[in-house]
Amino acid sequence: MVVRITLSTLFLAAVAPLALAASSVHLRQHVGDRASEPWPFYDPSYNYCDPGYPSAQEYSAVPDAQLEFVQIVVRHGDRSPVNLITHDDSEWNCNGVLEQIYLHEAGQNQDNTTGSFQQHIEIPSWNRKYGYENQLWKGTCDVGELTDKGKSQHHLLGTQLRSIYVDKLGYLPKELNDASEVYARTTYIWRTKNSAESLLGALWPKRGISPAVAIPLHTFPKEIETMYGNTGACPRIDTLTKNISASTQYQDFLKEQGPLLTRLASIMGVEGSSWDGGWDGYFDVLHARKCHGKAPVCTHDALPAGSSGSDRGKSCTTDQDTAQVSRNANYAWTLMYRDNPLAKELTSLTIGSFVGTLRDHMASRIAGKAGALKLALYSGHDSTVWPILAILGASNRDALWPPYASNLIFELWKKSSGDRVVRVVFNGKTLELRKEDQWCDMNACPLERFYERLEQYIPTDIAAECK
């Protein structure tokens, strides 16, 4: 079975509740066994619910250079939660932007189709009558489905990209008449597909449904997926996460934050390894609700027939809980991908093969072997974007949990001298690097130096290294 790496695979040790108030804990950033200046894993300008977007008004071309190739790695947009809590009274709707589905026989004319269909997620009212209220919310969203807001986020991103690469630079065509100019890849999870469709639909609006201009959406079977940590294909990833969780640094962190885990589990009525072990489930539930302005999660105790809610004293999550969970989750991911002696190997095995794909597509374009290809889009997850940011040495601010619809752009430019440079843009701004790791100018990094950095993390024999 292929398992996508999450925070729960990292938080494997038992949590011992202590009297320390979780919200007062001041976390420290560590490099190896040496603590550096305190970093709160928080920034007042950070917004998990919405990323920054590239802007034609603020965008400028690399001086004295010609754009040769663009690769964009995105996280899917806003979605319904992927972690379920008991007695969820919230409502999630995803039916404002519908997807038309039809089958078309290969090689046949465009009229030879099955006709169009629309898939509707139905959560019937009797769901609660027969006791299923512990399992799902009300509304029209499947678990982890791209919401209408998520579709709009990627539509806006596509519009912004069009204003730059079509209208301002004239790099991409105004109308896509040759689908070989774009390569698009998603994971097998549906929300990444819908995110790519929304983005590309805005990048080339009113494209129509003719098979001649259909954009292939490439998807690897999950058994060989490389756009996130594939523990099924690479058991070494699981070994490394267990070793990191056993470190003294990490165990001390778990002890400090134990009371908060215990309190949240009690409020949400959850238990089991996916909840006892880490922060990703709590982060997901709290932030998904925050992004939609929904009510906090409260305890749901059984009451005698005829009783009202006022007969029961409720305990609810707070804004402070959400903020502390965010800090804790960011601390844990930074430790996993950056601030532990094992982090480099773990990051390499988690995303190194996919980073090799980014490099190889760039090299193919330079060698004249990419044909008409001008744009490559990869629609993935937070666990796609985050490890790449770690490889690049992103600043503490840019290394916070990637917001919905985060966009990481790699532009390849050729200067009049013949030299090539790479620009890296994250959520609308040139990627900022850590002060202690200013290895290159992300506005115009020499290609050779850029390759050197990536190749430190690209496995040479992934099968052997994963054992």
Side-chain angles (χ1 to χ4, degrees):
M1 180 177 69
V2 177
V3 181
R4 200 179 137 216
I5 188 169
T6 68
L7 284 175
S8 295
T9 62
L10 178 61
F11 290 70
L12 298 171
V15 180
L18 299 179
L20 183 62
S23 61
S24 67
V25 175
H26 191 79
L27 301 175
R28 280 185 177 270
Q29 169 187 318
H30 289 254
V31 180
D33 296 325
R34 176 174 56 82
S36 63
E37 290 300 313
W39 160 241
F41 295 88
Y42 166 79
D43 187 281
S45 64
Y46 171 75
N47 182 7
Y48 174 79
C49 302
D50 219 24
Y53 298 92
S55 166
Q57 288 72 31
E58 298 178 4
Y59 182 93
S60 60
V62 173
D64 192 31
Q66 180 179 358
L67 184 59
E68 285 192 311
F69 191 42
V70 178
Q71 296 189 92
I72 306 175
V73 181
V74 300
R75 184 191 177 190
H76 59 75
D78 179 275
R79 54 157 173 74
S80 59
V82 296
N83 294 274
L84 305 182
I85 60 175
T86 60
H87 301 284
D88 191 341
D89 292 326
S90 63
E91 183 169 344
W92 294 87
N93 288 298
C94 297
N95 60 350
V97 181
L98 297 175
E99 182 179 36
Q100 297 282 351
I101 306 169
Y102 68 92
L103 299 179
H104 184 279
E105 187 175 348
Q108 301 299 316
N109 66 62
Q110 66 185 67
D111 295 325
N112 187 19
T113 74
T114 58
S116 62
F117 299 87
Q118 290 180 348
Q119 181 175 3
H120 290 255
I121 301 300
E122 183 178 1
I123 303 174
S125 58
W126 53 255
N127 170 55
R128 291 168 182 262
K129 180 179 178 181
Y130 294 103
Y132 295 137
E133 73 272 16
N134 288 354
Q135 301 301 318
L136 206 57
W137 45 72
K138 296 176 286 186
T140 60
C141 286
D142 200 349
V143 176
E145 183 176 352
L146 193 71
T147 63
D148 296 339
K149 179 180 178 181
K151 297 164 192 172
S152 295
Q153 287 174 325
H154 275 284
H155 187 275
L156 175 57
L157 177 55
T159 299
Q160 295 297 95
L161 293 172
R162 180 177 176 85
S163 70
I164 294 172
Y165 296 112
V166 176
D167 300 334
K168 187 165 188 172
L169 298 182
Y171 172 71
L172 294 175
K174 288 185 178 295
E175 296 182 4
L176 187 66
N177 297 315
D178 182 1
S180 67
E181 292 185 79
V182 58
Y183 173 88
R185 175 179 162 189
T186 76
T187 70
Y188 75 96
I189 299 174
W190 207 253
R191 60 182 174 269
T192 66
K193 172 180 174 288
N194 286 159
S195 293
E197 290 171 334
S198 297
L199 189 158
L200 294 169
L203 183 54
W204 287 292
K206 301 179 181 179
R207 195 167 45 86
I209 61 172
S210 168
V213 294
I215 298 175
L217 292 180
H218 300 265
T219 303
F220 286 13
K222 63 181 181 179
E223 288 76 13
I224 58 171
E225 183 59 81
T226 62
M227 287 178 66
Y228 52 72
N230 192 334
T231 57
C234 188
R236 176 67 177 163
I237 293 176
D238 190 50
T239 300
L240 291 169
T241 57
K242 288 179 179 178
N243 290 340
I244 292 174
S245 72
S247 67
T248 300
Q249 174 187 351
Y250 193 71
Q251 289 297 311
D252 289 345
F253 164 68
L254 284 177
K255 290 176 182 178
E256 286 182 348
Q257 296 302 306
L260 180 58
L261 273 177
T262 301
R263 178 172 175 275
L264 293 176
S266 176
I267 292 174
M268 296 182 185
V270 296
E271 60 182 358
S273 60
S274 63
W275 294 94
D276 299 340
W279 301 100
D280 58 332
Y282 302 104
F283 185 101
D284 173 41
V285 170
L286 294 174
H287 283 80
R289 296 169 81 100
K290 178 181 178 181
C291 292
H292 286 262
K294 295 186 182 297
V297 181
C298 296
T299 53
H300 191 288
D301 301 321
L303 291 174
S307 299
S308 67
S310 60
D311 297 325
R312 176 182 65 229
K314 285 189 175 183
S315 179
C316 301
T317 59
T318 66
D319 291 342
Q320 290 75 18
D321 292 333
T322 302
Q324 189 63 32
V325 166
S326 180
R327 291 185 177 97
N328 292 351
N330 281 304
Y331 174 85
W333 275 93
T334 304
L335 178 66
M336 178 166 64
Y337 288 128
R338 193 186 75 185
D339 293 342
N340 185 280
L342 298 176
K344 186 172 183 178
E345 182 185 0
L346 179 58
T347 303
S348 172
L349 297 181
T350 297
I351 207 69
S353 292
F354 175 64
V355 168
T357 297
L358 298 176
R359 178 204 59 185
D360 292 348
H361 272 182
M362 211 174 290
S364 178
R365 178 68 176 170
I366 292 170
K369 298 178 180 180
L373 184 63
K374 291 185 174 183
L375 170 70
L377 171 68
Y378 308 92
S379 182
H381 306 267
D382 46 12
S383 53
T384 307
V385 176
W386 214 337
I388 299 175
L389 293 173
I391 287 175
L392 297 174
S395 68
N396 288 329
R397 166 63 178 79
D398 280 350
L400 294 174
W401 197 307
Y404 290 134
S406 282
N407 45 99
L408 185 58
I409 303 174
F410 299 90
E411 297 176 342
L412 175 66
W413 293 82
K414 183 177 182 180
K415 308 194 80 171
S416 60
S417 63
D419 296 331
R420 288 182 168 88
V421 297
V422 177
R423 170 192 274 167
V424 183
V425 180
F426 180 55
N427 289 344
K429 299 183 182 299
T430 301
L431 182 68
E432 180 182 337
L433 302 182
R434 301 173 71 199
K435 292 180 179 178
E436 58 268 48
D437 193 16
Q438 296 286 321
W439 62 275
C440 206
D441 176 9
M442 290 290 94
N443 196 51
C445 182
L447 180 64
E448 295 76 15
R449 190 178 304 172
F450 190 75
Y451 276 178
E452 288 173 3
R453 178 76 175 201
L454 299 189
E455 286 165 0
Q456 295 178 40
Y457 293 85
I458 299 172
T460 56
D461 186 347
I462 187 67
E465 294 174 43
C466 276
K467 292 181 179 177

